[in-house]
Amino acid sequence: FTHPEMSFVGLTEPQAQELGEKEGFEVVSARSYFKANSKAVAEKETDGLAKIIYRKDNGELLGAHIIGMHAADLIQEAANAIANRQSVNELAFNVHTHPTLSEVMDEAYKRAIA
């Protein structure tokens, strides 16, 4: 219980890179920031970011880290995606209600496929 909240699931970037070297794939990451999120601005809680770690070849989500308001709630989407071996290519086309904090994750997925 911290302020801002922090949450993570899956691999860290160094862990993912180590796995990638071992199994022969490249690891990349994407970030999005609470300061650009309408709900965070409205709540005056714009400090924070979401970082996703994924395979470059097939987009499989390997890890996610969130620091910011309601991070403990927001991480669930990434946890489910990792458990189901979903790719950022799929996740970028999920619907995220506006204006909500879930758009922080949506933006990270969209940056990953840009």
Side-chain angles (χ1 to χ4, degrees):
F1 299 103
T2 62
H3 184 79
E5 288 183 24
M6 293 181 270
S7 61
F8 65 92
V9 65
L11 302 177
T12 64
E13 194 163 3
Q15 290 171 329
Q17 288 172 343
E18 184 178 320
L19 180 64
E21 288 173 14
K22 187 170 134 183
E23 295 187 7
F25 60 84
E26 188 178 348
V27 171
V28 289
S29 65
R31 292 186 173 115
S32 65
Y33 300 90
F34 279 61
K35 67 183 175 187
N37 179 273
S38 299
K39 175 74 171 181
V41 171
E43 296 286 342
K44 296 183 171 86
E45 292 278 349
T46 56
D47 291 336
L49 65 91
K51 176 181 176 181
I52 58 170
I53 299 125
Y54 58 98
R55 290 177 59 143
K56 186 174 184 178
D57 59 352
N58 65 10
E60 181 182 352
L61 187 64
L62 301 173
H65 310 278
I66 305 171
I67 301 169
M69 184 171 65
H70 296 291
D73 302 320
L74 295 171
I75 201 69
Q76 185 61 42
E77 178 181 2
N80 288 338
I82 291 169
N84 292 317
R85 301 193 73 167
Q86 286 184 284
S87 75
V88 293
N89 304 314
E90 297 171 84
L91 297 165
F93 291 97
N94 285 346
V95 174
H96 293 81
T97 310
H98 175 76
T100 66
L101 293 172
S102 70
E103 291 177 295
V104 170
M105 294 302 291
D106 185 47
E107 180 65 26
Y109 302 139
K110 285 177 172 36
R111 286 180 184 213
I113 66 167

